[in-house]
């Protein structure tokens, strides 16, 4: 994240989101499917209040498909329609747009009954940095548009992206900060590349990755880093050193840590999800 969140920024971002929320019928909350909890700003629940909302679990190509289904069901059980999306490769947003329309069908009907013919549903994308807001807006637009506002506090006139479905979307997504009160959340964000600067040491990030993958995806470590099932019983630092050696880096565990972090970020180890459903308690207000 080439941008640091200070209280001033957070306030500004929140106010800006709240202001623009007044303009729309429905909010499209975008999260990273690998981090359905950690890539959310929990404040959005209260900011959006009674506003209709859908959640996009984006980057689903990088996430554990089983986990994505579990998370989608979780959100649905909490009354929020959720969609598993790979906006990098999918061209077609029809299903999504149709369900956004369904969310506000009642409102549209009310307008129609009152004599308003082609009521344009207005929507806004919101999410923390790097979850794919710009990519999704481009998909909605069906072409490459200059999506602005990678930083909060960039005020400009509102433009609307027109889609062919009677839904207009604000071209500047709402940006909220990730909630990094818990160090673990920070490490997860660093592992997926949501935070790119050096808030964390690579070895801490790598050790967290080792710990997590040992538990949930041991076969991925075995396959990628020439270790055995037995090796995985080592303590994490010893295991990191062993991997370093086996990968031909002698004792340069900094270099190996960097490699592990980049491998996880790029998905070289395969698909994974870093939030477990049992961490979801109280995730939704
Ligand atoms: N693999 C994958 N990458 C994605 C997907 N959506 C976005 N990205 C990538 O994630 C990065 C951040 O996307 P961007 O749209 O700029 O995020 P924003 O900061 O929320 O606007 C870019 O490199 C995108 O190409 C997706 O569904 N799958
Ligand atoms: Mg963007």
């Amino acid at each position: 994240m080439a941008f640091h969140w200070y209280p001033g920024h957070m306030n500004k971002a929140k106010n800006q989101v709240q202001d623009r929320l007044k303009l729309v019928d429905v909010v499209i909350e975008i999260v990273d499917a690998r981090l359905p909890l950690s890539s959310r700003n929990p404040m959005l629940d209260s900011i959006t209040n009674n506003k209709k909302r859908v959640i996009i679990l984006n980057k689903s190509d990088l996430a554990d498909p089983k986990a994505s289904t579990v998370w989608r069901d979780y959100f649905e059980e909490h009354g929020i329609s959720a969609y598993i999306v790979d906006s990098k490769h999918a061209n077609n947003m029809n299903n999504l747009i149709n369900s956004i329309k369904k969310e506000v069908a009642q409102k549209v009907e009310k307008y129609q009954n009152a004599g308003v013919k082609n009521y344009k549903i207005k929507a806004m994308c919101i999410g923390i940095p790097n979850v794919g807001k710009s990519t999704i807006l481009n998909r909605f637009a069906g072409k490459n548009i200059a999506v602005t506002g990678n930083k909060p506090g960039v005020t400009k006139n509102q433009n609307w992206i027109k889609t062919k479905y009677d839904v207009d979307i604000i071209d500047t997504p709402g940006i909220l900060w990730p909630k990094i009160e818990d160090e673990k959340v920070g490490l997860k964000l660093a592992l997926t590349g949501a935070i790119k600067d050096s808030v964390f040491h690579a070895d801490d990030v790598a050790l967290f990755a080792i710990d997590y993958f040992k538990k949930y995806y041991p076969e991925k470590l075995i396959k990628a880093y020439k270790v055995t099932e037995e090796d995985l019983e080592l303590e994490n630092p010893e295991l990191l050193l062993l991997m370093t050696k086996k990968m031909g880096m002698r004792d340069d565990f900094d270099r190996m840590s960097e490699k592990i972090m980049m491998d996880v970020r790029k998905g070289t180890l395969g698909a994974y999800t870093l939030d477990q459903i049992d961490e979801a308690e109280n995730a939704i207000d």
Side-chain angles (χ1 to χ4, degrees):
M1 193 160 45
F3 180 82
H4 296 271
W5 292 92
Y6 298 111
H9 295 135
M10 294 182 185
N11 256 330
K12 206 164 183 178
K14 183 183 161 214
N15 291 339
Q16 217 180 45
V17 165
Q18 270 175 323
D19 275 353
R20 287 191 289 152
L21 271 175
K22 292 177 192 145
L23 305 174
V24 303
D25 305 304
V26 57
V27 172
I28 303 165
E29 181 186 1
I30 300 162
V31 303
D32 186 322
R34 295 168 296 176
L35 300 170
L37 272 191
S38 304
S39 66
R40 303 183 72 221
N41 180 317
M43 189 184 272
L44 193 59
D45 288 332
S46 61
I47 299 180
T48 50
N49 211 350
N50 295 323
K51 198 75 73 178
K52 297 280 181 192
R53 176 165 43 145
V54 300
I55 289 185
I56 295 183
L57 297 158
N58 190 42
K59 307 200 185 186
S60 60
D61 53 313
L62 303 174
D64 181 341
K66 268 194 216 138
S68 294
T69 310
V70 169
W71 278 106
R72 182 193 54 204
D73 294 349
Y74 169 82
F75 289 120
E76 300 262 349
E77 277 159 25
H78 286 77
I80 307 174
S81 306
Y83 298 88
I84 299 169
V85 172
D86 164 9
S87 66
K88 189 163 181 170
H89 307 98
N91 273 309
N92 190 320
M93 293 274 154
N94 292 8
N95 280 344
L96 190 62
I97 298 241
N98 283 329
S99 52
I100 289 169
K101 289 177 84 165
K102 252 185 239 153
E103 291 294 322
V104 281
Q106 275 186 336
K107 187 171 180 180
V108 173
E109 204 183 295
K110 238 170 38 190
Y111 275 102
Q112 277 168 349
N113 291 341
V116 181
K117 284 232 166 69
N118 294 311
Y119 182 77
K120 288 273 187 186
I121 297 164
K122 292 189 264 338
M124 173 178 173
C125 292
I126 297 185
I128 69 165
N130 265 308
V131 288
K133 297 179 294 299
S134 302
T135 309
I136 284 174
L137 279 176
N138 276 311
R139 290 296 183 211
F140 281 134
K143 58 179 184 249
N144 265 349
I145 46 159
V147 176
T148 45
N150 275 319
K151 290 176 184 178
V154 187
T155 349
K156 66 181 233 9
N157 294 333
Q158 227 50 88
N159 288 312
W160 296 89
I161 295 169
K162 300 196 183 315
T163 66
K164 52 184 173 180
Y165 310 90
D166 295 329
V167 179
D168 290 352
I169 302 171
I170 294 185
D171 75 342
T172 313
I175 306 170
L176 291 172
W177 57 99
K179 187 179 171 239
I180 320 185
E181 275 164 22
D182 181 354
E183 193 197 9
K184 214 163 85 176
V185 172
L187 291 166
K188 289 178 179 184
L189 289 163
L191 257 184
T192 55
I195 304 176
K196 289 202 184 90
D197 58 7
S198 48
V199 184
F200 296 97
H201 289 291
D203 55 338
D204 287 331
V205 179
L207 285 171
F208 176 79
I210 288 173
D211 193 59
Y212 191 92
F213 277 71
K214 244 161 107 171
K215 190 162 172 197
Y216 296 103
Y217 305 107
E219 72 289 348
K220 294 192 196 300
L221 292 179
I222 293 168
K223 197 169 158 211
Y225 303 130
K226 304 182 178 167
V227 286
T228 65
E229 209 176 329
E230 226 166 66
D231 294 336
L232 294 191
E233 282 162 32
L234 288 168
E235 294 293 317
N236 298 331
E238 278 77 49
L239 183 55
L240 173 60
L241 278 175
L242 182 66
M243 287 174 171
T244 308
K245 206 186 272 166
K246 292 212 174 179
M247 296 303 287
M249 298 183 196
R250 295 165 195 253
D251 60 355
D252 192 352
F253 65 89
D254 277 331
R255 200 175 135 212
M256 184 62 196
S257 298
E258 201 73 39
K259 175 173 171 53
I260 292 172
M261 188 169 77
M262 292 317 292
D263 284 349
V264 176
R265 267 186 199 172
K266 287 193 214 134
T268 311
L269 301 191
Y272 63 90
T273 298
L274 295 179
D275 285 333
Q276 295 294 318
I277 197 77
D278 57 13
E279 297 173 286
E281 223 179 308
N282 302 324
I284 294 183
D285 293 342

